[in-house]
Amino acid sequence: MKKPLYTRSNWPIAAAMINFPGVLPDGTRVFDQTAAEWAETLEDVVDAGFTELDPTDSWLRIADLSEARLQEFMDVVHSKGLTIPAISTSRNNLICPENGEANLAYAHRVIDTAAKIGATSVCFGFFGPLSDAQKQALWFWTVPNPPVSEDPEEWKLAVARTQELGDHAAKLGIEVALEMYEDSFLGTADSSVKFVQDVNRPNVGICADIGNLVRLHRPVEHWATMIDKIAPYAKYWHVKNYIRTEDAVTGAIMTAPAALEFGIINYRAAIRKAMEYGFNSPFLCEHYGGDGLSVAGTNRRYLRRILPRTRAQD
């Protein structure tokens, strides 16, 4: 059955759990918390105005929970009036030499878990853990990553593994979004489009997280040009925004996180462009710095305001 077109009243807009640590100050893993402790955290999500969340595996790897513990977690989710439309992975590079195969196996478990809990989207990437220098910086994106590999065999491996995941997901009615991220195979709009074209699976597209690029302290393509290129391939979309200023005389570039409606990316225009190509996937609200969850809640309200009241079926 064809999925109905979302409107502002029912569009899934999830809270990202990036603002919550996966390991608590006392060394306790969220993975090992009790249901009551999970519930306490999810109450914050509800209080921020959300009715959906993405567990985000930097907080909790639900794909690694036992069947009983997964059911326990979902009972907590539902008891708080929440649903999970999508599952994102973070920094589990599918082709890194050290643990790429393990990350691939984990990605398959994410797909299976998504199907079990009724999620319709998953998100994967080709970027790895933060370096020590990035962890120590105020904003980790101000410290460069290693340059993206130019080895054609690594590109082929990434394409093949994504095809494998896409085929698995398609059997379960799930879409795969690949996250745009600097110095990765999806580090520019052009490379992102080429990659998904090489994968050539209808359920595999781009997580159009251009916020990851406009925040860089280096020259980047204009956000609107990027959106024009990637809009036909947009799937599950991580949204966040940044203030960006460029000094044409000195070449200095500075950025800082901003609420969706106040940053350099015009999300009203960007989303409308994607909808011209049939975009009908969930959103994920992210924000770094300060009370990121509250800012994400503000971003959710902004999205509700700008999304269409109605949409005509094809």
Side-chain angles (χ1 to χ4, degrees):
M1 180 180 295
K2 186 176 181 180
K3 182 171 66 174
L5 293 178
Y6 295 131
T7 66
R8 69 171 58 173
S9 65
N10 67 348
W11 210 303
I13 304 174
M17 299 301 286
I18 60 173
N19 304 116
F20 296 92
V23 179
L24 304 179
D26 65 359
T28 302
R29 296 189 307 167
V30 169
F31 189 88
D32 298 317
Q33 284 188 307
T34 65
E37 289 169 325
W38 285 336
E40 186 176 355
T41 299
L42 295 188
E43 285 171 1
D44 286 342
V45 174
V46 173
D47 289 344
F50 284 95
T51 52
E52 296 90 18
L53 82 147
D54 178 335
T56 317
D57 65 2
S58 59
W59 176 64
L60 176 61
R61 288 170 64 113
I62 67 169
D64 286 343
L65 292 171
S66 67
E67 291 288 340
R69 286 281 280 167
L70 178 62
Q71 185 59 58
E72 191 175 18
F73 176 71
M74 293 306 300
D75 287 345
V76 172
V77 169
H78 294 150
S79 74
K80 299 303 175 183
L82 294 163
T83 61
I84 299 177
I87 304 174
S88 292
T89 63
S90 177
R91 305 190 179 283
N92 292 286
N93 188 341
L94 294 170
I95 60 164
C96 64
E98 298 80 14
N99 53 4
E101 291 187 3
N103 288 342
L104 176 65
Y106 167 65
H108 280 290
R109 296 198 299 276
V110 169
I111 292 170
D112 286 333
T113 302
K116 289 177 185 177
I117 66 173
T120 59
S121 304
V122 293
C123 184
F124 304 122
F126 297 98
F127 54 100
L130 296 174
S131 67
D132 290 340
Q134 288 171 329
K135 292 177 182 178
Q136 294 168 9
L138 175 61
W139 303 121
F140 62 83
W141 56 84
T142 62
V143 179
N145 298 298
V148 63
S149 172
E150 296 184 1
D151 183 349
E153 293 306 312
E154 288 193 24
W155 179 279
K156 291 178 182 177
L157 177 62
V159 168
R161 288 185 173 177
T162 304
Q163 290 172 330
E164 178 182 327
L165 293 172
D167 291 343
H168 178 188
K171 293 177 182 178
L172 299 173
I174 292 170
E175 69 174 22
V176 174
L178 303 172
E179 184 170 359
M180 297 181 72
Y181 199 89
E182 76 271 15
D183 306 316
S184 77
F185 288 149
L186 282 85
T188 67
D190 289 330
S191 68
S192 298
V193 169
K194 183 179 187 305
F195 190 87
V196 296
Q197 287 178 339
D198 284 1
V199 170
N200 193 27
R201 297 294 189 272
N203 67 319
V204 177
I206 298 170
C207 172
D209 193 353
I210 60 173
N212 286 341
L213 304 182
V214 303
R215 70 189 179 189
L216 300 176
H217 288 199
R218 62 173 103 157
V220 295
E221 191 171 23
H222 192 279
W223 70 265
T225 306
M226 287 193 279
I227 288 294
D228 284 344
K229 293 176 180 178
I230 64 180
Y233 308 93
K235 299 289 187 188
Y236 179 40
W237 195 341
H238 296 182
V239 293
K240 55 181 176 285
N241 215 343
Y242 293 84
I243 294 169
R244 180 181 176 93
T245 184
E246 302 177 3
D247 188 324
V249 176
T250 66
I253 298 172
M254 300 296 290
T255 68
L260 282 190
E261 60 189 305
F262 300 130
I264 192 170
I265 303 167
N266 181 345
Y267 273 98
R268 186 188 301 270
I271 291 170
R272 287 180 178 176
K273 173 60 70 172
M275 286 194 298
E276 290 177 9
Y277 293 94
F279 176 73
N280 196 49
S281 299
F283 291 103
L284 177 71
C285 291
E286 296 182 312
H287 185 83
Y288 289 101
D291 185 352
L293 178 62
S294 289
V295 178
T298 298
N299 292 342
R300 176 186 182 274
R301 292 191 293 275
Y302 166 72
L303 289 175
R304 289 275 181 238
R305 194 167 71 245
I306 66 170
L307 289 169
R309 292 181 178 85
T310 60
R311 294 173 74 187
Q313 294 284 355
D314 293 338

